[in-house]
Amino acid sequence: MDGVSLVAKRGYDTQEAAEQYSRCRPTWSREVIDIVIDKLNLSKNSENCSTKYDIVELGAGTGMATMKMLEALNKNVHFLATEPISAFLAKLKATLPHTDNLQCSASDIKLPDNSVKAVVAFHCVHWFANEEAFREIHRVLVPGGAFVFLWNERDISVPWVKTFDDMIYEPCPPELRDIHRWREPLAALGPNLFTEAKEETHKETQQLRGDRQTILDYVSSMSYISCLPPPERERLLGKFLQFLNTHPDVKGKQMISIPFNTEIYWCYKVS
């Protein structure tokens, strides 16, 4: 499991963590999935290109995005879901038993050179935002192959969500706070490997809606919170509960909705 963050392994590599992640994280809208499939541009590489897989998903987690992709894709598309964390991969296998899968990290994709038409990564590139992983993605892609990656991000234009967001990031390790830290290592590879990354933001594509326990479970599903000692985690969750009970925009509400925006990025292998 080379290249896998210790925070990810400590926070996610249990059956309980995998179940909680699947239950509490926002999923992906059909609108977003259709945009991703369009950016993958599979038709461009359909001619004179013999590969085992059309799409490889990196960091597939418990299969939440995998399921959405498979529902939307043509049944003839060959899809491989990869995930480095054992407990997450076990959950994916249980949910999607007929889907090809592989345990590997983004820096050690166990596939031949020039063997994949497109690579997609849902809400995970912050775990491998480094030149090693990007070179590995370049290695397995065919010339012209797409690399599409995206995140669901809490809509911090909503004042109470901004405060909530700040609270979530307070205990976060510095290296995981900036999802955009991929820009520097990708740019460092130069224009001979990938085209310049393009981007789109789609507003309020998804909502996480539930009672206070649902919101607290969502907070607990953060890797760096999940791996805290139980007393420390409970103290932290107590602060979130106090916030939900006292902030004027959410106090007294039985059901709370957190809006999410989706940020989509894509580039293509040059050579």
Side-chain angles (χ1 to χ4, degrees), residues 91-137:
K91 175 65 175 176
L92 185 151
K93 290 179 179 180
T95 305
L96 300 166
H98 303 297
T99 301
D100 285 3
N101 61 81
L102 181 65
Q103 185 167 16
C104 68
S105 69
S107 60
D108 185 23
I109 305 170
K110 301 183 186 303
L111 293 171
D113 296 356
N114 304 306
S115 63
V116 177
K117 293 180 183 177
V119 170
V120 65
F122 289 85
H123 207 89
C124 64
V125 169
H126 51 284
W127 290 114
F128 52 85
N130 56 70
E131 289 188 35
E132 180 184 15
F134 293 149
R135 287 187 183 278
E136 183 72 345
I137 292 166

Side-chain angles (χ1 to χ4, degrees), residues 2 69 102 107 112 126 128 138 161 175 185 190 197 208 215 220 270:
D2 292 343
M69 287 288 288
L102 181 65
S107 60
H126 51 284
F128 52 85
H138 178 272
V161 177
E175 68 271 16
L208 178 67
I215 305 303
S220 294
V270 173

Side-chain angles (χ1 to χ4, degrees), residues 1-269:
M1 287 172 54
D2 292 343
V4 183
S5 164
L6 285 175
V7 175
K9 285 190 278 190
R10 290 170 180 167
Y12 287 152
D13 205 4
T14 66
Q15 181 180 352
E16 181 183 3
E19 294 290 346
Q20 184 178 59
Y21 192 97
S22 293
R23 186 176 68 251
C24 303
R25 289 300 184 101
T27 184
W28 305 88
S29 70
R30 180 58 187 260
E31 173 196 3
V32 165
I33 294 296
D34 286 345
I35 293 169
V36 168
I37 292 172
D38 179 66
K39 304 303 182 189
L40 291 175
N41 206 11
L42 293 177
S43 61
K44 181 179 179 181
N45 287 311
S46 61
E47 299 178 1
N48 303 318
C49 182
S50 177
T51 60
K52 183 174 182 180
Y53 291 109
D54 298 302
I55 302 172
V56 168
E57 182 185 2
L58 298 177
T62 61
M64 295 174 68
T66 314
M67 183 183 298
K68 297 291 186 179
M69 287 288 288
L70 294 174
E71 289 172 354
L73 285 165
N74 185 296
K75 301 306 178 186
N76 294 324
V77 172
H78 297 126
F79 191 100
L80 175 68
T82 73
E83 168 57 40
I85 302 295
S86 298
F88 273 25
L89 188 61
K91 175 65 175 176
L92 185 151
K93 290 179 179 180
T95 305
L96 300 166
H98 303 297
T99 301
D100 285 3
N101 61 81
L102 181 65
Q103 185 167 16
C104 68
S105 69
S107 60
D108 185 23
I109 305 170
K110 301 183 186 303
L111 293 171
D113 296 356
N114 304 306
S115 63
V116 177
K117 293 180 183 177
V119 170
V120 65
F122 289 85
H123 207 89
C124 64
V125 169
H126 51 284
W127 290 114
F128 52 85
N130 56 70
E131 289 188 35
E132 180 184 15
F134 293 149
R135 287 187 183 278
E136 183 72 345
I137 292 166
H138 178 272
R139 181 186 68 79
V140 300
L141 279 172
V142 300
F147 174 34
V148 180
F149 49 106
L150 58 159
W151 284 268
N152 275 332
E153 286 292 287
R154 294 174 292 274
D155 185 356
I156 59 174
S157 68
V158 179
W160 80 264
V161 177
K162 174 63 169 68
T163 305
F164 180 82
D165 188 78
D166 290 341
M167 291 175 66
I168 284 182
Y169 275 120
E170 187 174 344
C172 180
E175 68 271 16
L176 297 178
R177 290 179 184 175
D178 182 13
I179 66 166
H180 301 110
R181 64 192 184 94
W182 57 268
R183 294 182 187 274
E184 184 174 343
L186 188 61
L189 296 180
N192 293 327
L193 295 190
F194 289 102
T195 62
E196 183 178 358
K198 297 183 179 180
E199 60 187 83
E200 293 177 356
T201 297
H202 296 264
K203 294 281 288 182
E204 295 193 21
T205 56
Q206 201 60 250
Q207 286 197 348
L208 178 67
R209 179 173 172 79
D211 58 15
R212 279 160 176 71
Q213 188 57 54
T214 300
I215 305 303
L216 294 179
D217 288 345
Y218 166 69
V219 173
S220 294
S221 76
M222 307 298 157
S223 58
Y224 52 89
I225 295 176
S226 176
C227 68
L228 290 174
E232 187 175 348
R233 185 170 63 248
E234 290 307 312
R235 283 195 297 271
L236 182 63
L237 293 176
K239 293 180 180 178
F240 279 93
L241 181 59
Q242 182 182 20
F243 170 80
L244 295 173
N245 285 336
T246 58
H247 194 284
D249 290 346
V250 291
K251 70 176 183 180
K253 291 186 176 181
Q254 290 188 340
M255 302 295 286
I256 299 170
S257 295
I258 303 175
F260 286 79
N261 302 327
T262 302
E263 298 180 16
I264 307 174
Y265 303 88
W266 69 97
C267 58
Y268 299 95
K269 177 175 175 175

